[in-house]
Amino acid sequence: MNFNNSESAFEEAKKVIPGGVDSPVRAFKSVGGTPVFIEKGDGAYLYDIDGNRYIDFVQSWGPLIFGHCDEDIEDSVVKAVKKGLSFGAPTLVETKLANEIVQMFDSVEKIRFVSSGTEAVMSAIRLARGYTKRDDIVKFEGCYHGHSDSLLVQAGSGAVTFGTPSSPGVPADFTKHTLLAKYNDIKSVEKCFENSKDIACVIIEPIAGNMGLVPADEEFLKQLRELCDKNGALLIFDEVMSGFRASLKGAQGLVETKPDIVTFGKVIGGGMPVGAFGARAEIMDELSPDGPVYQAGTLSGNPVAMSAGLASIKKLKKNPIVYKELEEKAKKLMNAFKEEAAKNNIPLQTNVRGSMFGFFFNENPVNNFDDALKSDTKMFASFHSKMIENGVYFACSQFETGFISTVMSDEIIDEVILKARIAFKELRA
């Protein structure tokens, strides 16, 4: 493939944008090479400015469950745009989308929309602190909840890629209220509660997607629920990535444990910037203007984003069988990867949850951040480069998740498996 135009575009971007990108992982530093600059998307495919076509397993990091340029979502956006881009005032579509989401989740009676997953989590934690009148929070090593100060401690995703789990610019006075626990290890959480009697909440990705795909054990989540109840703390599920991706009800459709607060994003924007957080009315009523906990946003509930999200959620609710079909394709892909890797004596671990999948070049199963860090990132980088050169676009970090979309046919999956077979053989050589 020819990447000349992308290489030139990257050099030009670096003159005016830090690192040439607006989100660090996009710079391809962990996989090498030049990031491809995208011109357009269409269904299961991306097209770069050099005219190369890729089968896209990133899908804008999750939200495009129906692929690029879905006709129904596109139509909803065009209709909304013709009425205006933003009003900074209430619209009916906000309530419509809120009703669609609230009806599906027993743990959510009210919801508030924001403009990003980071904003949703930041607001949820403020709400938990305000509701409990406590300051400390517990998060898990390897879980990424956005880049707000108190959460950028042992983060996953891009923070791990660059080897800086904690970021300069985050005051120690903020992070001293953040206690770290090990994912899937209840004893580490118990220790946090022993060390602090001021814990407002425990926040977790019930299906972690930012240290690679690592699901939480069912029993571990039950124990978390019991521990929070015993100590008067709230349990927050960060489902910005897994919500409406792992199942129609996200992780909550796959496990029995229910959170006090849940954060959403990605799919509920249909590809537009959006986030949300919800809980039972008793908790949500602490928010301004009803309560004392302040949260606001000029673009919150943006009518274009709400329209895209409403179209996406309605399509999913009309055809929930789509999750079974997506999971079958994800399992087919991962089973083939594992088989081909084994044939070439390459250690590979895989996980699938609904339309989400992940694979680690690792000798042992990955259950937490420490396990994930033992993965062979150089091997992943080589595999990633070979697949890019053969027109397959995977996330540009070992510590990210892949996504299947409804527009990926069995023939497309078979094509990817054939290309992966060649890549695994070349890795062995």
Side-chain angles (χ1 to χ4, degrees):
M1 282 186 173
N2 184 333
F3 302 104
N4 291 341
N5 290 337
S6 281
E7 289 169 357
S8 297
F10 190 42
E11 291 304 313
E12 185 66 25
K14 285 191 285 188
K15 295 176 184 177
V16 289
I17 300 173
V21 293
D22 284 313
S23 190
V25 75
R26 299 177 192 173
F28 272 41
K29 282 198 172 182
S30 69
V31 292
T34 299
V36 293
F37 277 58
I38 304 304
E39 181 177 1
K40 67 175 183 177
D42 183 16
Y45 299 97
L46 284 175
Y47 296 82
D48 69 18
I49 59 176
D50 286 285
N52 301 313
R53 188 182 79 166
Y54 309 90
I55 299 168
D56 180 20
F57 287 102
V58 177
Q59 294 294 320
S60 189
W61 306 95
L64 307 181
I65 198 165
F66 297 106
H68 297 278
C69 300
D70 175 77
E71 187 175 340
D72 295 320
I73 296 174
E74 209 172 56
D75 286 348
S76 72
V77 169
V78 171
K79 289 177 182 178
V81 165
K82 287 184 176 179
K83 294 179 181 179
L85 294 177
S86 181
F87 309 120
T91 63
L92 291 176
V93 70
E94 295 168 70
T95 307
K96 289 179 180 178
L97 181 54
N99 274 322
E100 292 288 345
I101 296 173
V102 166
Q103 287 171 11
M104 284 190 284
F105 293 88
D106 295 336
S107 60
V108 177
E109 294 177 332
K110 292 186 178 182
I111 191 168
R112 178 164 283 181
F113 295 106
V114 292
S115 298
S116 70
T118 290
E119 199 178 341
V121 172
M122 178 182 70
S123 303
I125 287 176
R126 180 180 298 168
L127 176 59
R129 283 171 162 158
Y131 179 80
T132 61
K133 308 292 191 294
R134 298 176 180 180
D135 292 335
D136 293 346
I137 66 173
V138 177
K139 76 173 292 289
F140 294 89
E141 296 174 346
C143 283
Y144 179 72
H145 305 289
H147 62 268
S148 59
D149 285 351
S150 62
L151 290 167
L152 207 57
V153 181
Q154 286 286 349
S157 191
V160 175
T161 295
F162 291 101
T164 54
S166 299
S167 172
V170 178
D173 283 349
F174 291 172
T175 58
K176 73 180 182 182
H177 291 294
T178 303
L179 288 74
L180 286 172
K182 180 177 285 190
Y183 200 78
N184 279 324
D185 182 349
I186 197 63
K187 290 189 181 300
S188 68
V189 188
E190 291 172 347
K191 186 174 181 181
C192 290
F193 278 99
E194 290 171 5
N195 291 337
S196 172
K197 302 303 178 186
D198 197 35
I199 294 175
C201 62
V202 175
I203 182 166
I204 186 171
E205 289 180 277
I207 300 174
N210 289 285
M211 52 175 146
L213 184 67
V214 184
D217 295 334
E218 172 82 31
E219 184 60 27
F220 174 66
L221 292 176
K222 288 180 180 178
Q223 292 170 330
L224 271 188
R225 176 73 275 171
E226 292 169 0
L227 201 54
C228 285
D229 291 342
K230 178 182 176 181
N231 291 277
L234 300 183
L235 179 60
I236 302 176
F237 275 9
D238 180 349
E239 296 228 51
V240 168
M241 186 174 288
S242 59
F244 301 97
R245 258 295 180 180
S247 78
L248 186 60
K249 296 184 179 182
Q252 295 173 70
L254 304 176
V255 300
E256 294 180 5
T257 304
K258 303 304 177 190
D260 295 296
I261 304 176
V262 57
T263 63
F264 299 105
K266 309 294 186 187
V267 177
I268 65 166
M272 300 292 290
V274 71
F277 61 104
R280 60 183 184 272
E282 174 192 2
I283 297 174
M284 294 299 287
D285 287 345
E286 287 293 302
L287 282 174
S288 178
D290 292 336
V293 178
Y294 192 74
Q295 181 277 325
T298 301
L299 296 178
S300 295
N302 174 271
V304 181
M306 295 291 96
S307 297
L310 183 61
S312 181
I313 298 301
K314 280 188 171 182
K315 284 191 73 164
L316 289 169
K317 290 179 77 172
K318 284 180 181 177
N319 188 25
I321 191 67
V322 71
Y323 289 99
K324 184 175 183 295
E325 297 169 352
L326 290 170
E327 185 169 35
E328 287 174 354
K329 289 175 182 177
K331 285 181 176 178
K332 178 181 179 180
L333 182 67
M334 289 297 93
N335 288 340
F337 272 31
K338 193 151 191 174
E339 182 180 337
E340 292 304 321
K343 286 179 182 177
N344 292 280
N345 297 316
I346 295 171
L348 193 75
Q349 306 296 325
T350 64
N351 276 319
V352 171
R353 286 296 184 275
S355 62
M356 304 169 69
F357 67 88
F359 55 96
F360 298 88
F361 288 90
N362 200 312
E363 295 277 358
N364 300 302
V366 176
N367 295 306
N368 54 50
F369 184 51
D370 288 341
D371 293 342
L373 287 179
K374 294 173 185 174
S375 301
D376 188 338
T377 54
K378 290 183 179 179
M379 180 77 78
F380 176 85
S382 296
F383 180 79
H384 182 273
S385 297
K386 293 179 187 301
M387 295 304 281
I388 281 281
E389 290 167 3
N390 283 283
V392 181
Y393 193 80
F394 285 116
C396 44
S397 168
Q398 170 70 92
F399 306 107
E400 291 287 359
T401 296
F403 303 93
I404 304 287
S405 61
T406 60
V407 289
M408 289 179 177
S409 64
D410 286 325
E411 289 75 20
I412 288 176
I413 299 297
D414 289 339
E415 179 185 347
V416 175
I417 291 171
L418 287 174
K419 291 179 177 181
R421 182 175 297 160
I422 296 171
F424 282 120
K425 286 181 180 179
E426 292 177 348
L427 287 176
R428 181 186 62 178

